[in-house]
Amino acid sequence: INWDNILTYQKSIKDHSFVFTALSSFVESLSDYGTAQGEGQLLPSQLYFALGNAPTNIAISSGFTKWNVLSFAGRLNYSYKGKYLVTLTNRTDGASRLSTGNKWASFPSAAVAWQIGDEAFMQNQKLISGLKLRLSYGVAGNSGIAPYGTQSTLTRVPMAFGETSFQGFTFSPLLGNPDAGWELSGSKNLGVDIGFLNNRLNATLDIYDTRTNDLLLPRGLPPTSGVKTVYQNIGKTRNNGVEFSLNSVNINKNNLKWVSTLTLSH
C-alpha cells in the first residue's frame, strides 16, 4: 500500500516568489504464508486434502510479516527576481521496524543558489551564457533492517528424553535491541553550473562531503551468549569527492544533431 498526498501553494509579491509544498505519505507491506505437508497418502484421490491422515512427515508452518513507514514533509522555495534562490525542507518519518521510542526522526535540509549569469555585470559579454552557484546541506535517514529485527523472539525446539517427547523453546539467533534507531547521513554540497557560447558548451562541478553516523549494522556476538547477532547503531562513515561533467552540442542543423558528454569523478 502506497498512499501519497501533495499540496502545493504558489504566491508572487512583486519581485518575490514563494512556493510551499506539503506532503504526507504512508507505505505499508504485509505478507503471510501457510504450508502443510504429509507423505504416503493411502488414498491417491485425496490429493493434498486430509493431510492429517498421511502416515509420515506431517508438518505445518505459517508466518506473518508487516512493516510500515509514515512520513510528513514541508518545503519552501523562495526566489527573489529569479536570481537569488532559497529552499528550506523538513521531513519527519516514523518507521515501524525500529525500536519503541526511536521510531521517529526529522531530516532538515537547506539550499541556496545564486544565478550570477542574470546579474547586470554579466550582460555585456557573450562568452558566458549562464553561471549559477549552489550550496546545500541536508540530513537523510535509513531504517533498512529486517522487520522485527529489534525484537527477541522464541523458536520451538522439539526435545525427547527416552521415549518421552516434549517441546522446548529458545531465543532466535537474532537478539532484540530496544535502543536501535535511525541511521543518519549529513551531506554538504558545493556546486557550479556554467554555460558558454549560448549554452553550446555546459559544465557542472560538484564538491560533496557525506558523513553517516549511528550506522545500523548486525553486530556479531560471542557463541557462548546463545545468540549470534544484534542490530545496533555502531560506527560511522565518510564519503567525499568531486564530480565534473561537460556537455557540448557539436552539430544541431536541419535533421542532424550531435552531442557529447564527458564525466569525471574522484
Side-chain angles (χ1 to χ4, degrees), residues 35-204:
T35 64
Q37 74 175 45
E39 296 182 6
Q41 285 279 46
L42 299 179
L43 299 175
S45 61
Q46 287 185 333
L47 301 175
Y48 56 86
F49 302 106
L51 287 177
N53 296 332
T56 58
N57 290 336
I58 296 177
I60 60 173
S61 176
S62 62
F64 175 85
T65 302
K66 178 182 178 180
W67 62 266
N68 51 50
V69 177
L70 181 62
S71 307
F72 302 95
R75 181 180 65 190
L76 174 64
N77 287 343
Y78 169 73
S79 172
Y80 177 66
K81 292 186 176 181
K83 295 186 293 185
Y84 312 105
L85 313 174
V86 178
T87 300
L88 301 175
T89 306
N90 189 58
R91 180 185 178 101
T92 300
D93 286 11
S96 66
R97 301 180 186 219
L98 301 177
S99 301
T100 301
N102 297 306
K103 297 182 184 296
W104 290 89
S106 294
F107 313 107
S109 68
V112 294
W114 179 19
Q115 291 279 18
I116 305 175
D118 292 342
E119 296 289 354
F121 59 82
M122 294 290 294
Q123 305 307 311
N124 295 325
Q125 52 83 38
K126 296 182 179 180
L127 176 63
I128 299 177
S129 51
L131 180 59
K132 182 179 181 180
L133 180 65
R134 299 176 280 106
L135 179 65
S136 66
Y137 176 79
V139 178
N142 173 38
S143 61
I145 63 175
Y148 317 115
T150 62
Q151 304 176 23
S152 294
T153 58
L154 292 177
T155 301
R156 182 176 65 91
V157 180
M159 306 180 72
F161 183 77
E163 297 181 355
T164 303
S165 62
F166 56 92
Q167 301 298 331
F169 292 88
T170 182
F171 283 112
S172 63
L174 179 65
L175 181 67
N177 179 9
D179 298 321
W182 284 88
E183 173 183 306
L184 301 177
S185 298
S187 299
K188 294 177 287 186
N189 190 90
L190 174 64
V192 178
D193 304 318
I194 185 169
F196 300 94
L197 304 175
N198 198 25
N199 289 330
R200 291 288 298 273
L201 187 65
N202 293 277
T204 299

Side-chain angles (χ1 to χ4, degrees), residues 206-208 239-244 263-266:
D206 281 284
I207 304 172
Y208 63 89
N239 181 24
N240 60 312
V242 178
E243 293 182 349
F244 175 77
T263 59
L264 299 172
S265 63
H266 175 72

